[in-house]
Amino acid sequence: MKPQKSVIYRQIPRPDPALLARAAEFGVADLHGALGLVAGRMSLMSPAMNPIAPGQKLCGPAITAWNFPGDNLAIHIALDTAQVGDVLVFTNGGGHQGALWGDVACGFAVKKGVAGAVVHGACRDTDAIRDLGFPVWSTHVSVEQPEKRGPAAVNVPVVADGVLVEPGDIVCGDADGVVVIPLALLAATVAGAEARAANEVKIRARIAAGELPLDILGIRNTIETLGIEQIEGTWQDGQG
């Protein structure tokens, strides 16, 4: 095996634009659910990954950057490779040492048409970034000064907030969190999200007509199948 070293890949695999546009119509909850129990959980970042402003949303292919702790050289290289609509995904392992993202780089990202940034590490200049209207999710906020010396790796597979992100994977974020859709699963995920959305329309109509979610979702049958005891009384009634 060759020793690992700093590397920059300037291209990423890219999704079908029409398919990406369909994915962007859905929220993180529908896309996460459509991925299924296993892939959905593996692809969902933790609640530590927070939006810096309300109302943010993004959906686009990942440009990835691995940064040495305390350093953000890779994010500037990644930004140089990004195209319109791309999502920047940065990690330094998740530490707060050395802010990975700030308003100066953000201003250039806005000018370039980048869709947003997901930062497994620290972001700073948050008020200025909000004023720019640039969507950012991060696990930390810290003004700690970063170095720009490397080592660095750009557009390689990274693990960001516990999720494997390969260059070109579809990163979607909203107020509920961030999910990463593997490029190979995009078509199936979009189809699943469309089916879920259509089913929810029917469920809401049935609720509006007077049916109970307990019946619509089959919860009564589940209670019976599991043999869960139901007692007509309070918990204190059985004490004494």
Side-chain angles (χ1 to χ4, degrees):
M1 179 181 293
K2 294 181 179 180
Q4 297 300 302
K5 62 179 182 179
S6 295
V7 64
I8 302 165
Y9 291 97
R10 299 200 61 86
Q11 302 294 329
I12 65 169
R14 294 199 167 272
D16 174 67
L19 199 56
L20 178 61
R22 287 167 60 193
E25 296 176 1
F26 297 98
V28 166
D30 280 330
L31 295 168
H32 162 65
L35 278 162
L37 291 176
V38 176
R41 281 165 172 75
M42 292 175 65
S43 300
L44 185 66
M45 294 190 183
S46 81
M49 185 62 75
N50 287 305
I52 68 164
Q56 296 186 163
K57 189 171 182 180
L58 59 73
C59 186
I63 297 289
T64 65
W66 177 88
N67 302 263
F68 195 76
D71 193 281
N72 76 345
L73 175 66
I75 71 106
H76 296 282
I77 302 167
L79 182 53
D80 184 58
T81 72
Q83 298 181 16
V84 173
D86 287 346
V87 175
L88 303 166
V89 179
F90 306 140
T91 183
N92 62 2
H96 62 80
Q97 304 92 340
L100 289 177
W101 190 245
D103 66 331
V104 174
C106 185
F108 182 70
V110 171
K111 183 177 180 180
K112 198 168 186 180
V114 173
V118 174
V119 183
H120 183 216
C123 174
R124 69 182 184 185
D125 308 318
T126 52
D127 283 341
I129 292 174
R130 291 186 191 103
D131 289 342
L132 287 167
F134 186 77
V136 175
W137 285 252
S138 71
T139 52
H140 297 289
V141 173
S142 173
V143 299
E144 189 170 344
Q145 183 67 25
E147 298 290 337
K148 293 176 175 58
R149 299 182 295 184
V154 173
N155 287 328
V156 300
V158 300
V159 175
D161 196 26
V163 175
L164 174 64
V165 186
E166 296 190 2
D169 284 352
I170 307 306
V171 182
C172 299
D174 61 19
D176 288 337
V178 176
V179 68
V180 180
I181 306 170
L183 193 53
L185 298 181
L186 180 59
T189 302
V190 169
E194 290 172 340
R196 286 174 58 86
N199 187 53
E200 287 181 357
V201 169
K202 295 176 182 178
I203 290 174
R204 290 189 183 97
R206 292 174 67 180
I207 290 173
E211 291 188 63
L212 299 177
L214 206 66
D215 297 314
I216 296 171
L217 300 176
I219 304 300
R220 292 191 198 278
N221 292 334
T222 300
I223 292 171
E224 184 175 344
T225 299
L226 293 175
I228 298 174
E229 184 180 10
Q230 299 191 68
I231 300 172
E232 293 296 339
T234 71
W235 68 271
Q236 292 101 330
D237 293 341
Q239 308 300 310

